[in-house]
Amino acid sequence: MKTYRMPADSSDYRTMPKLLIEKIEALVRETSEPDEPLSAGSMTGGGPQWAQGNDAMNLLPAALAALVTRQARQVFMGGGASMVSGVDRLRAGVSGLSEEDRRAMALVSRARLAAGMSDIGAEIHQLLTICKQPLGDWIPVAAVKDAGLTSVRLIDLEDRLPTLEAEELAAGFSGATGLLEEQVFAAFQDALSKQPAKDANEYYSQARAFVVRNPVIQRSKMFRFYGGLPTPVWTCIDQQFYEPVPASLVAGDEATLCGHCGNIMAVSGSALRCTTAACCAEHGPNPGHTVPTTDLYRLNKSLRKYWFEPGIDELRLADKLEALGHKVRLYPNRDTVDLDLGEGSVVGIDLKAYSSPELLGERLKRRPGGLHTYKKALLVIPDWLARRVPNYIDRVSACLEGSAIRALTLSDAVEEIGHA
């Protein structure tokens, strides 16, 4: 059918036979509910009309998220940049699309065609590109709207990795495997496991806080931090956590770091912008000091996603509480929670920045993690996200109804906890 997708002015262009058009329309009608729009007329009004559809459409968000995470695993974790292709030339090879992938793509095609929209599900590169946009902008199905997923992006705009929301959706979908994070940090966790438990917990907290405060650093300066760590632990940090700064992000012999978060600033038009999403959401551009690009390293993709981006707001909260006299523990007991107020504390805090409050609420109600071990379990939402998403706290609280976890903004958490 790709022949018929050629531009009208192409020498390969052919008009689709009327009989074929009728057959396709009949297939769409057979698999659609009566209230599912079937013509371009349903798209009037400037935005997608939310088709109710049948049960198959309810699988679309999770199936698409699983496709995204599988492709990321193949490219980033499969020993190199594997080719992503729509055709399997050798069935035993790792390249190409699986049956699960093709089913997810078919669901996207069906949802779009049934709503009178163009088909973007038939070509994997086009589909992955649009996954960087909010689902609500391009998938007009009720399963997206009703689950509060309209603002969710499946692929991060900056790092081109699956978002945390994508992995959360994929985790509940059959066929999805473990998170990339588990594979990336396996060696680090193994090195920690060989240390006494109390020391291992302290090393974990030190390492995690260090990388959040030092997203970009000259390698020679790393060794000042390594002094108090066992060799296997700092070897993991040195060899796996950091990578050379790409030449595309710097100009000449110097790089400019953000005055707020310390991450590298990239040229955007005629100005500089911070490459940290959480920092940009809270602050305007603030070029800080410049550093020589010689021997300059930055956190790898996985660290930037799993530790650094969420860590910006975690450290912001910790710094505010410490200023009020509290003794804050970051990532206690190897990340039971994001922070608490010391050994034996009744207050445990997890800070989350999911774009969908419904997805976050359902996730924590189903899997509260270490929060369930604290008498006062707080889910803290960054102020910038609560301002950006309408009624965020009310919506996530509604999903947490019946749970011991209470949701509030970062500023409200600081005010409630107060002075020590």
Side-chain angles (χ1 to χ4, degrees), residues 118-140:
S118 61
D119 178 17
I120 58 173
E123 209 284 317
I124 185 62
H125 302 89
Q126 185 179 16
L127 179 57
L128 292 176
T129 297
I130 203 169
C131 283
K132 293 183 289 186
Q133 299 180 20
L135 291 177
D137 291 355
W138 59 281
I139 301 185

Side-chain angles (χ1 to χ4, degrees), residues 344-404:
S345 168
V346 298
V347 179
I349 299 172
D350 262 351
L351 192 145
K352 302 294 183 187
Y354 281 41
S355 59
S356 167
E358 286 79 10
L359 181 62
L360 175 58
E362 292 297 332
R363 183 260 194 194
L364 283 179
K365 189 171 184 179
R366 188 171 64 251
R367 301 197 311 275
L371 282 175
H372 81 279
T373 63
Y374 291 83
K375 185 176 180 180
K376 188 173 184 178
L378 300 180
L379 168 63
V380 173
I381 306 301
D383 293 314
W384 59 264
L385 182 59
R387 291 192 300 265
R388 178 182 296 176
V389 179
N391 305 312
Y392 195 109
I393 298 299
D394 291 340
R395 289 163 63 184
V396 74
S397 297
C399 294
L400 287 169
E401 187 174 358
S403 166

Side-chain angles (χ1 to χ4, degrees), residues 16-72:
M16 188 179 292
K18 182 179 179 181
L19 178 61
L20 183 54
I21 295 175
E22 292 174 349
K23 289 289 186 183
I24 292 174
E25 290 177 344
L27 286 172
V28 171
R29 284 194 298 270
E30 288 175 7
T31 56
S32 301
E33 291 291 321
D35 57 352
E36 198 169 345
L38 296 173
S39 68
S42 65
M43 290 304 296
T44 57
Q49 301 298 305
W50 299 95
Q52 298 304 307
N54 59 22
D55 291 341
M57 287 296 100
N58 293 332
L59 299 176
L60 177 52
L64 184 56
L67 179 150
V68 167
T69 56
R70 282 194 298 269
Q71 292 299 326

Side-chain angles (χ1 to χ4, degrees), residues 310-353:
I312 293 296
D313 290 300
E314 292 160 359
L315 291 185
R316 183 178 293 137
L317 176 58
D319 291 344
K320 288 179 179 292
L321 292 177
E322 287 179 344
L324 294 175
H326 292 281
K327 183 179 180 181
V328 177
R329 290 195 308 173
L330 280 165
Y331 320 114
N333 303 314
R334 277 181 271 179
D335 205 24
T336 298
V337 290
D338 291 331
L339 58 96
D340 65 17
L341 302 183
E343 189 73 36
S345 168
V346 298
V347 179
I349 299 172
D350 262 351
L351 192 145
K352 302 294 183 187

Side-chain angles (χ1 to χ4, degrees), residues 186-197 200 233 334:
F188 182 58
Q189 295 289 5
D190 182 63
L192 290 174
S193 69
K194 295 178 172 59
Q195 308 300 318
V233 177
R334 277 181 271 179

Side-chain angles (χ1 to χ4, degrees), residues 22-315:
E22 292 174 349
K23 289 289 186 183
I24 292 174
E25 290 177 344
L27 286 172
V28 171
R29 284 194 298 270
E30 288 175 7
T31 56
S32 301
E33 291 291 321
D35 57 352
E36 198 169 345
L38 296 173
S39 68
S42 65
M43 290 304 296
T44 57
Q49 301 298 305
W50 299 95
Q52 298 304 307
N54 59 22
D55 291 341
M57 287 296 100
N58 293 332
L59 299 176
L60 177 52
L64 184 56
L67 179 150
V68 167
T69 56
R70 282 194 298 269
Q71 292 299 326
R73 189 173 297 108
Q74 179 175 332
V75 173
F76 294 111
M77 304 302 298
S82 301
M83 179 181 66
V84 180
S85 170
V87 178
D88 283 319
R89 296 186 180 276
L90 297 174
R91 290 195 174 274
V94 297
S95 298
L97 299 169
S98 68
E99 288 302 315
E100 289 256 356
D101 295 334
R102 296 179 193 280
R103 292 190 186 100
M105 294 168 68
L107 285 174
V108 173
S109 295
R110 178 186 156 192
R112 298 268 303 183
L113 291 171
M117 303 170 74
S118 61
D119 178 17
I120 58 173
E123 209 284 317
I124 185 62
H125 302 89
Q126 185 179 16
L127 179 57
L128 292 176
T129 297
I130 203 169
C131 283
K132 293 183 289 186
Q133 299 180 20
L135 291 177
D137 291 355
W138 59 281
I139 301 185
V141 296
V144 170
K145 184 180 181 181
D146 294 346
L149 303 178
T150 55
S151 63
V152 168
R153 303 174 193 264
L154 297 182
I155 297 179
D156 182 81
L157 289 168
E158 189 72 39
D159 289 327
R160 309 299 194 264
L161 280 173
T163 60
L164 295 178
E165 292 93 334
E167 293 186 350
E168 180 60 32
L169 286 167
F173 187 75
S174 60
T177 57
L179 299 179
L180 290 170
E181 181 182 17
E182 298 173 359
Q183 302 175 55
V184 171
F185 299 126
F188 182 58
Q189 295 289 5
D190 182 63
L192 290 174
S193 69
K194 295 178 172 59
Q195 308 300 318
K198 185 177 180 180
D199 292 340
N201 294 340
E202 182 64 24
Y203 297 150
Y204 179 91
S205 296
Q206 289 178 10
R208 187 156 176 178
F210 175 83
V211 300
V212 175
R213 295 189 186 278
N214 296 276
V216 177
I217 189 171
Q218 287 182 294
R219 193 164 181 266
S220 57
K221 294 182 179 180
M222 294 185 200
F223 294 99
R224 300 177 186 175
F225 167 68
Y226 294 159
L229 296 178
T231 300
V233 177
W234 70 252
T235 298
C236 285
I237 299 173
D238 179 48
Q239 296 182 358
Q240 297 187 19
F241 283 11
Y242 285 87
E243 63 186 13
V245 172
S248 59
L249 286 180
V250 297
D253 298 328
E254 291 187 330
T256 303
L257 305 186
C258 175
H260 292 296
C261 70
N263 200 6
I264 201 160
M265 300 195 76
V267 176
S268 179
S270 59
L272 290 172
R273 65 173 180 85
C274 178
T275 53
T276 306
C279 183
C280 291
E282 188 72 17
H283 305 287
N286 180 28
H289 65 286
T290 58
V291 293
T293 56
T294 304
D295 204 34
L296 193 63
Y297 282 68
R298 70 167 181 172
L299 294 174
N300 65 36
K301 282 178 177 285
S302 295
L303 266 295
R304 295 199 302 272
K305 172 184 174 181
Y306 291 109
W307 282 7
F308 176 65
E309 278 285 355
I312 293 296
D313 290 300
E314 292 160 359
L315 291 185

